Amino acid sequence: MQHKTIAFIGAGNMSRSIIAGLVKAGYPAEKITAANPSLPKLEALASDYGINVTQNNADAARHAEVIVLAVKPQLMADMLGALVGELGSLAGKLLISIAAGIKVARLGEMAGGHARIIRTMPNTPALLGLGMTGLYAPDTVGQEDRDFAEQMMQAVGKTLWVEQESGINGVIAAAGSAPAYFFLFMQAIAEEAEAMGFRPEQARLLVQQTALGAAAMVEQNPTLALATLREQVTSKGGTTAEAIKTFQQQGLMPLTAQAMQAAVARAAEMETLF
């Protein structure tokens, strides 16, 4: 991975996760700067990872080769407008957005007609280095920039490129929002376990260890279809078969599809707001 100078505009949890992943992977801390209004967040980043920090966005971005756009979507237009106004231009800089709901073309408009932009969509397990990030870049973005963005996001997990920008909304439905789906299902199992008489801490242990083990089985058996893995633990006429039959009778599969399509629809709607 090339060691370009990087400026993170915004120092929230996702920026912190990416910075932590980069430094842990050996990226030079002196080539990373974070800008944020909150001084405590900056001080924590400087203390924990040895990076440069500033409360001035322009100071961070002025000499950066890569600018990571990590502010809230509703703040993006004002932030980029002020940045372009102070620097005059963002020419020669790669912009990598981790903000939800803003398309590349709109980001380009906000950035004064800038075209060298890559859009990413990480999910919250990136905080543990176990993230899943979708990436999209228009044809105008070169391979070197694509490689850098991919390697940067691989510091916090796995990556997947989408060919069309609309695919980012699919990433949101299948990965960005999906941790909450699993948490909800785990919550349902834990609550029923408590109703069966287990103490809350026992119910949580049962659920979290089972979820961890199931995910590991999926990862360690990449050639087996998910349906096959399910079938392998579903003995005919057994307890698991009865539970699975109930899920299927109650429409778990179509309900899941409906929920994911609702996430896609909301993501598309959000793209019209900014």
Side-chain angles (χ1 to χ4, degrees), residues 198-245:
F198 291 100
R199 298 192 303 274
E201 65 273 17
Q202 292 175 320
R204 181 173 179 125
L205 176 62
L206 288 168
V207 171
Q208 71 186 35
Q209 186 62 23
T210 302
L212 182 65
M217 288 184 71
V218 171
E219 184 178 48
Q220 293 177 27
N221 293 277
T223 62
L224 290 182
L226 296 176
T228 300
L229 285 168
R230 172 180 57 77
E231 290 164 0
Q232 288 180 345
V233 294
T234 309
S235 301
K236 187 174 182 179
T239 59
T240 307
E242 283 302 304
I244 294 297
K245 182 171 70 173

Side-chain angles (χ1 to χ4, degrees), residues 143-156:
Q143 191 61 46
E144 181 180 316
D145 288 342
R146 293 168 185 262
D147 290 344
F148 184 87
E150 180 175 33
Q151 290 164 9
M152 185 183 80
M153 299 312 298
Q154 284 175 344
V156 292

Side-chain angles (χ1 to χ4, degrees), residues 101 266 268-274:
R266 177 54 181 162
E269 182 182 16
M270 288 175 64
E271 290 176 341
T272 68
L273 301 179
F274 306 107

Side-chain angles (χ1 to χ4, degrees), residues 6 11 16 42 48 56 58 81 89-90 151-152 177-179 189 192 194 198 227-228 251 257 265:
I6 309 175
R16 182 180 176 86
L42 295 177
D48 293 344
N56 186 296
S89 168
L90 299 179
Q151 290 164 9
M152 185 183 80
S177 298
I189 297 172
E192 184 57 25
E194 288 183 44
F198 291 100
T228 300

